[in-house]
Amino acid sequence: MSRPEQTDRTEWRLSRAEAIAREIERKIIESALPDGSRLGTKEDVRQEYGVAVGTVNEAVRLLETRGVVSAKPGPGGGLFTLRTPGHVRINHLILGLRENGITSAQCLAVRDALEEPILMEAAAHRTDEDLAELRELLEHMDEQRTDAAEFLRANWAVHRRLAEITPNVVLRVIYTTMLDMIENEIEHVSSDELFTAGKTFRAHVALVDAVESQDAAKVRRAVRRHSPPTSVIS
């Protein structure tokens, strides 16, 4: 397993455990390793990447959660490949597009195109728990109006939580990967963006209200109100 490139902007901003997990996923996919292939032990991973035991354990936990590897204890144990889920392959395919000059503006365009289907799915499948968490995220977003960078992160957290509701894994993965790529490309947010914070916040309240209503027409109106974006805060 090769060490993650430190110059890869998509990965060095992720946690170290996430970066290692993605690198192992990439190796499995690119090498077309069959099910049951042994990748080594946790100690092998720790030595290769030069990280703490806790970081390795977190990376393995992420891989097990995604159904990419299984960890077997004891003599002859270690990390073994499982059949790579389709959504993991899609995620890596999209992330690989960055090497071909994909820009944050292009990712925003794709995200905006997927906004309506994501909201329609959220409206169809939302639960009371989903709505409660969305309201909490909106409250946090409202509290960050004086800090452009934090407001933007809170904004994206609302979009991620909306996307989590859909059972359509392909739609969810493509949408959230676009958010990942946008976040990793945008380093600074101008304080001028705060002049639109109130309007932006109200647009997001409308999105959640529409999802709660389960009214398709209301969802479409909320999406039109939210788009097209005029800035990275959208």
Side-chain angles (χ1 to χ4, degrees), residues 33 69 160 175:
L33 295 176
V69 304
R160 288 183 187 284
Y175 183 86

Side-chain angles (χ1 to χ4, degrees), residues 141 145 151 194-205 225 230:
M141 183 179 174
R145 290 198 199 189
F151 183 74
L194 293 174
F195 287 114
T196 65
K199 180 180 179 181
T200 299
F201 173 70
R202 290 190 294 274
H204 285 74
V205 171
R225 177 178 178 181
T230 56

Side-chain angles (χ1 to χ4, degrees), residues 4 27 76-77 87 91 134-135 138 152 167 187-188 190 202 212:
K27 176 184 181 293
H87 68 273
N91 189 51
L134 284 165
R135 296 296 179 189
L138 284 173
L152 180 57
E187 299 182 37
H188 304 290
S190 168
R202 290 190 294 274
E212 182 173 17

